[in-house]
Amino acid sequence: MTATIYIQPGAVLNANGVCRFRVWAPLRNKVSLLLPEQNVTHEMQRDADGYWSVTLPNIKAGTLYYYILDDEGKRPDPASRHQPEGVHGPSAVTDPNDFTFTDDQWKGMDLEQMIIYELHTGTFSPEGTLQGIISRLPALQELGITAIEIMPVAQFPGSRNWGYDGVYPFALQNSYGSINDLKKLVDAAHNMGIAVILDVVYNHQGPEGNYFNDYGPYFTDKYKTPWGQAINYDDAWSDGVRSFYIANALMWLDEFHIDGLRLDAVHAYWDSSALHFVQELTTAVHELEQRCGKKKILIGELDLNNPRYITPVANGGYGLQGQWIDEFHHALHSHLTGETNGYYEDFGKLELLARSYADAYVYTGQYSAHRKRKFGLAPEHLPYSQFVAFIQNHDQVGNRMLGERLSTLVPFEALKLAAAALLLSPFVPLLFMGEEYGEKNPFPFFASFEDPELVSAVREGRKKEFAAFHAAGEAPDPMAPGTFDAAKLSWDTKTPENATLLACYRYLIGLRKTRPALKYHERNGSKVHPVINERLLV
Amino acid sequence: MTATIYIQPGAVLNANGVCRFRVWAPLRNKVSLLLPEQNVTHEMQRDADGYWSVTLPNIKAGTLYYYILDDEGKRPDPASRHQPEGVHGPSAVTDPNDFTFTDDQWKGMDLEQMIIYELHTGTFSPEGTLQGIISRLPALQELGITAIEIMPVAQFPGSRNWGYDGVYPFALQNSYGSINDLKKLVDAAHNMGIAVILDVVYNHQGPEGNYFNDYGPYFTDKYKTPWGQAINYDDAWSDGVRSFYIANALMWLDEFHIDGLRLDAVHAYWDSSALHFVQELTTAVHELEQRCGKKKILIGELDLNNPRYITPVANGGYGLQGQWIDEFHHALHSHLTGETNGYYEDFGKLELLARSYADAYVYTGQYSAHRKRKFGLAPEHLPYSQFVAFIQNHDQVGNRMLGERLSTLVPFEALKLAAAALLLSPFVPLLFMGEEYGEKNPFPFFASFEDPELVSAVREGRKKEFAAFHAAGEAPDPMAPGTFDAAKLSWDTKTPENATLLACYRYLIGLRKTRPALKYHERNGSKVHPVINERLLV
C-alpha cells in the first residue's frame, strides 16, 4: 500500500467492496459524487485540508463516476485510476489488489548497475501495447539490458502521443492495456533480472482533457513555462498539489513495483520553498524504500547543471540519485554530425566531449553562447554513476524536424564508435529503442488531440519551431496517423549492418558488465586525455 | 578600489584627469557619449561582453554626460555616480579619490557585536541630510548603538522617498548631500566605534527615471514581483546584470568603507542558476574582505524561512552572515496589540513568540493560515547571532495605513516590556529611529514622483491596499509634502515618559553589552520555557 503520510486521492477500493472516493477541491463549496450507471448522486464531506470524501459500500471495480463541483456540471476525477473512454469521459473505480506479484525475491537495482533501454509503448512493438513489451523482454535480456525506461503512460488525449501531454497522472493510458498489464510487465521484467523505470511528468499537465483548474489551484502564474501553466509548488494551497504528485510517485513505486522514476524536466519544477519539492519527494521515496525493503530510485531530467539536485540531502542537496546529461549527447552528436544549429552551437569541439567525460557536465561556469550567460557548476565529489548518458533519446531524435535517428545521419562506422563512446563511458548508459540495431525509422513528434483549435495550434507551432532549426524540408504532420505509424520499430535485425551493430552492442554491454575497470565509477578512477588535434580521446 | 574581477561600470576618473566611460548595452549597435556642456559626441567601442567604452583626457569632476543609444536620443548613465538634476537629468563625473579617510584603525565589526539603529536620512534629522546624521552620532553613541543602518540612498525621483524607488544604484540621492558627506559620515562613525550598514535594493528598480530597459536586458518576464519587473539574474545576458549589482555592492563596501549591506527583499532575487546570485555576491564580498583586511557583512531581508541563504557556502548555503526575522516582530507585535489582521493572522499567541526565541523562525514547516501552505524549515545549527530582530522597523511601522509607531498602539509599560524582549534576546537587535524615546510621530509611506500617471496610480494603490488591512480611517496622501514632514523625528526626549524610556533603552543596551550570558549566541546557550497560560516566558 502507498504511504499513509501522503493522502491517496481518487477512488480507493478495499477487498470488501467498500470504496472511499476522495478529491481535493479546497475552494469549492460543494462537491458531489455522481454514479452515472445508477444515476445517483452522493454528497461529499470536506475536511480541514480541502479534501472531499464519501465512502460507499458495494462498489465494484469498473464502476464509473464523476464529481460535480458546486452544481456546475460533471467532471472526471483528476486522480482517476482509469479513463475507459478517454480524457473527457467518466472515471472508473479500479481494484488495486487484483494482481498477485511473483517478484518477492527482487530487491530493486542500484543506478550504477543499470544499462537502461528507453522505449515508447505505442511504437516499440507492432501491437503498441504493454503486452507488446512483455513479449520482447527476452530480446532485451539477450542484449544485456538491465533496466527498461518506459516513456510516460499517464492517460493522454486520443491514442497517439509521446506521453508528455498526459492529464491523468494516476491513470494508465487506456489504449496501452490494463493496469494488470503494467503489473504483469513489471513482474515479468523482475523475474528476468530487469528493473523498470517509469517516466513521469510533474512539471506541467497536457493541454486537452485538463480539468485541474476546475478542482483547485494546481497551477500558478508566478512562473512561466514553455508548456503552459507552471505547477503550483510554492504558492497558496500548494500543500495539496505537492501531496498529489508525491502520492502519485508512491503509487507507481509501491503498488506497481516500479523500481524508479525518471522525472521529466525537473528544471521546470519552480519552487521557492525552503523545503524544495524535489527534496520532499526524495524523502518520501526514501521512507517508502525503508518500509518496503526494496531499492527505489529517482532520476531527473535536468537542464540546470546544478549539482544540488543530485547531492544527498545530508550534504545540503535535494537527494535525486541521478540525472540525465544531455550535454554528453550534444558534445558527441555535434562532433559526429558537424551540426552546429540550435543548442549545438555550444558544442562541436572534441575537447567539450573530453570535458563531459571528466566533469559529466560540459558547462561548469563557462559562458554559453546559446544561453548567452555563464552556465553551471562542476559536480565535484559526485560519482560518475549518478549521471545517465546517451547518444540518442526520444527528445534528441524526436525534436529534430524529421525525427531522424543517428543511423541516418552518420556513417555506419560512426555508429559503432558512438556505441563504444557511450557503453565504455563511466556513466550509466541509456539506449533509445532500436538504437542497438541501427533502426532507421524516424521518431518524430506525434499526437492525436481532438480539440480542433489545439490541433491547428500544435501544427503551426511545430512549423514555426523548425523554421529556425532546420534549413529545408517539411515537418511531418504530428496529427497524422501515418506519422505515428512510421515511427514504429521495424525490428529489422537481419540486414548485415544491423546484425553487425547489434552484435557490437551486445559485445560492448558484455564488456561493460565483466571488466571491473568499466564498473568503477568513482571520480579518481578515470582520467581523460584529450588529444585534440588528432581527434582522439584516451 | 573596487574588485577588478567585476567590471566597474560608469565614469571612472583617475588622478590625472583621464576618465573611462563604460556602459553595458549588449544589444545596441551604436553607443555614443554626449558631453552637453561642450556639445561634443564621442563614439564608443563595444567589447565582446557588450560593454561600450571610451577613455578621454582632461575630464573634471562634475562634467555632465549622457549616452546616446543607436541615435535614439540621450539617456543618463544607469551606473551614474551622480545625478545633480535628479533622475531625468544628465549624469555627472565624480572623483572617487577626493576624500581622505581617517579610519585606518577600523577593522569592521562582527554581526554579533552589533546593536543596530535603522534610520531614514530624510526624516531622521530636521535637516534631512547626511550632515544631519553626523551631528547626531554622539547621541547614538551615548545610547549604546554600535551600528547604524541607513535606508537606501540611491538616487530616487524627487526629494521624498523611503528609498526603495531608487533608479541609480551607484548614485547618492542628490538631496541628501554629496558623496563626500557620506564618506564623512562613515569616517566619523568609525572613529566613534560605530559600524555603518547600507540598505541596498537589488530585487527591483523604481518606476520613474528607470531607463534600464533602454540599455539592456536588466529585467526578465520569467518571474512576477509585486514591484514590477524582476531583475534578470538567470536569463540570457544575465552576466552583465549580475556583474552590475556585484560591482555596486563592492563600491559601497570598498570606496565608501561601508561595513555591511542590508539586502532588500532577497526572496525576490529570482535565480534558478546553479550558482545563485546571492552566493556569487557573498563570494565576491568575501574576496574583498580578504583583500582589504576589514570585516564586511551581508544581511538579507528574507521572507522564505529558508536557512540555506544564511548557511555558509562550505556547508551548501549561499553565505549571508545574517537575515532579518520579521516573525519575531509579528509574534511580539500581535501579542502586545491583539492585532490579527493581514499577516498577523498567523500570530497572536504567546507560544509563537516562544517558538521564535527557540528557533528564530516561527514557521519551520507548520501550516500558515495566511500563506495557505506549510512554510519554512528550522534553521538548525545556525547561531542566534545570525538573526536580526526588531520590535519596529520602517516596514512594520510604515506599511500600516497611518504609519503608527508602537508608542501610539500600546501602553507605556508595554513599550518597556517590548524593549526588554528585544534587547535581552539572543538575536542581534535592531531599533527603528526614535523608538528609543518613544517617538510618536508616524512613519507613513511617502514619495515625490513627478510622473502624473504614476502619482495617481500610487495614491490609488495605497488606498486599495489598506481597504483590506484597516477597518476605518483614511490613508495620508503619500505624495503630500506634509506626509513627509509629519514623519520627521521630534527628538522630544524630555517628556517624562520619553526620558524614562530612553533611560530604559540605555540600561538594557548596557546590560546586553556587559553581561556575558546575554552575549552568548550559541543554540545550546539558551532555553525557552513558555508558561503559556500565565503569559510569561522564562
Side-chain angles (χ1 to χ4, degrees), chain A residues 221-224 234-239 270 273-274 305-306 308 316 318 367 371-374 377, chain B residues 221-224 234-239 270 273-274 305-306 308 316 318 367 371-374 377:
Chain A
D221 291 323
K222 277 173 76 176
Y223 312 103
K224 282 194 177 177
D234 67 4
D235 216 341
W237 303 106
S238 52
D239 293 353
W270 294 108
S273 305
N305 286 15
N306 185 347
R308 190 179 303 283
Y318 298 153
Y367 183 80
R371 300 176 195 267
K372 297 185 170 46
R373 53 179 294 235
K374 290 180 197 149
L377 274 181
Chain B
D221 291 323
K222 277 172 76 176
Y223 311 104
K224 280 193 180 177
D234 67 4
D235 216 341
W237 304 106
S238 53
D239 293 352
W270 293 109
S273 305
N305 286 15
N306 186 347
R308 190 180 301 285
Y318 298 153
Y367 183 79
R371 299 175 195 268
K372 297 183 170 49
R373 51 178 294 234
K374 289 180 197 150
L377 274 181

Side-chain angles (χ1 to χ4, degrees), chain A residues 94-148:
Chain A
T94 61
D95 183 352
N97 302 309
D98 186 30
F99 182 84
T100 306
F101 278 93
T102 64
D103 63 350
D104 289 357
Q105 299 306 310
W106 179 257
K107 291 295 171 200
M109 189 183 286
D110 286 331
L111 181 55
E112 66 180 19
Q113 300 301 321
M114 289 188 181
I115 295 165
I116 305 173
Y117 188 91
E118 185 191 30
L119 60 84
H120 173 261
T121 305
T123 54
F124 174 70
S125 70
E127 307 91 309
T129 61
L130 296 161
Q131 283 287 358
I133 302 173
I134 295 172
S135 62
R136 295 193 180 250
L137 283 178
L140 300 182
Q141 189 184 36
E142 199 180 345
L143 174 60
I145 292 301
T146 62
I148 58 172

Side-chain angles (χ1 to χ4, degrees), chain B residues 411-466:
Chain B
F412 180 69
E413 292 303 319
L415 293 183
K416 294 196 286 186
L417 179 66
L422 173 67
L423 290 165
L424 306 183
S425 81
F427 307 119
V428 174
L430 176 143
L431 281 56
F432 181 54
M433 60 177 195
E435 171 186 326
E436 72 276 16
Y437 61 82
E439 175 63 65
K440 291 200 170 52
N441 286 346
F443 189 76
F445 180 74
F446 49 77
S448 52
F449 295 122
E450 291 159 23
D451 175 347
E453 277 186 35
L454 178 61
V455 166
S456 91
V458 169
R459 281 185 173 138
E460 287 311 306
R462 296 299 287 188
K463 279 188 192 167
K464 206 169 157 189
E465 183 180 343
F466 291 118

Side-chain angles (χ1 to χ4, degrees), chain A residues 284-296:
Chain A
V285 170
H286 188 64
E287 287 167 7
L288 172 66
E289 266 192 320
Q290 301 291 316
R291 192 152 40 80
C292 71
K294 296 176 196 288
K295 185 83 190 163
K296 304 287 182 186

Side-chain angles (χ1 to χ4, degrees), chain A residues 64-227:
Chain A
L64 302 180
Y65 70 101
Y66 286 104
Y67 294 123
I68 299 175
L69 305 166
D70 285 337
D71 302 323
E72 283 177 10
K74 61 192 184 185
R75 291 279 180 272
D77 182 357
S80 168
R81 300 292 300 271
H82 186 36
Q83 289 293 116
E85 300 167 26
V87 299
H88 300 293
S91 302
V93 175
T94 61
D95 183 352
N97 302 309
D98 186 30
F99 182 84
T100 306
F101 278 93
T102 64
D103 63 350
D104 289 357
Q105 299 306 310
W106 179 257
K107 291 295 171 200
M109 189 183 286
D110 286 331
L111 181 55
E112 66 180 19
Q113 300 301 321
M114 289 188 181
I115 295 165
I116 305 173
Y117 188 91
E118 185 191 30
L119 60 84
H120 173 261
T121 305
T123 54
F124 174 70
S125 70
E127 307 91 309
T129 61
L130 296 161
Q131 283 287 358
I133 302 173
I134 295 172
S135 62
R136 295 193 180 250
L137 283 178
L140 300 182
Q141 189 184 36
E142 199 180 345
L143 174 60
I145 292 301
T146 62
I148 58 172
E149 177 170 318
I150 307 172
M151 286 170 65
V153 296
Q155 181 73 46
F156 52 75
S159 59
R160 306 182 306 275
N161 198 289
W162 284 11
Y164 303 97
D165 296 310
V167 283
Y168 292 88
F170 291 83
L172 181 69
Q173 168 65 16
N174 61 338
S175 59
Y176 284 171
S178 69
I179 288 179
N180 283 357
D181 287 341
L182 180 55
K183 291 178 179 175
K184 268 180 223 164
L185 167 57
V186 177
D187 200 48
H190 286 174
N191 284 317
M192 295 168 73
I194 295 174
V196 181
I197 299 167
L198 183 65
D199 194 343
V200 292
V201 183
Y202 297 164
N203 59 74
H204 75 286
Q205 288 296 325
E208 180 173 345
N210 178 334
Y211 296 106
F212 286 91
N213 274 328
D214 293 338
Y215 281 92
Y218 281 90
F219 305 105
T220 175
D221 291 323
K222 277 173 76 176
Y223 312 103
K224 282 194 177 177
T225 87
W227 314 286

Side-chain angles (χ1 to χ4, degrees), chain A residues 1 29 49 160 169 248 277 322 362 369-370 416 453 460 483:
Chain A
M1 301 304 293
N29 296 312
D49 296 324
R160 306 182 306 275
N248 184 264
F277 174 70
V362 172
H370 186 65
K416 293 196 285 188
E453 276 185 37
E460 287 311 305
T483 302

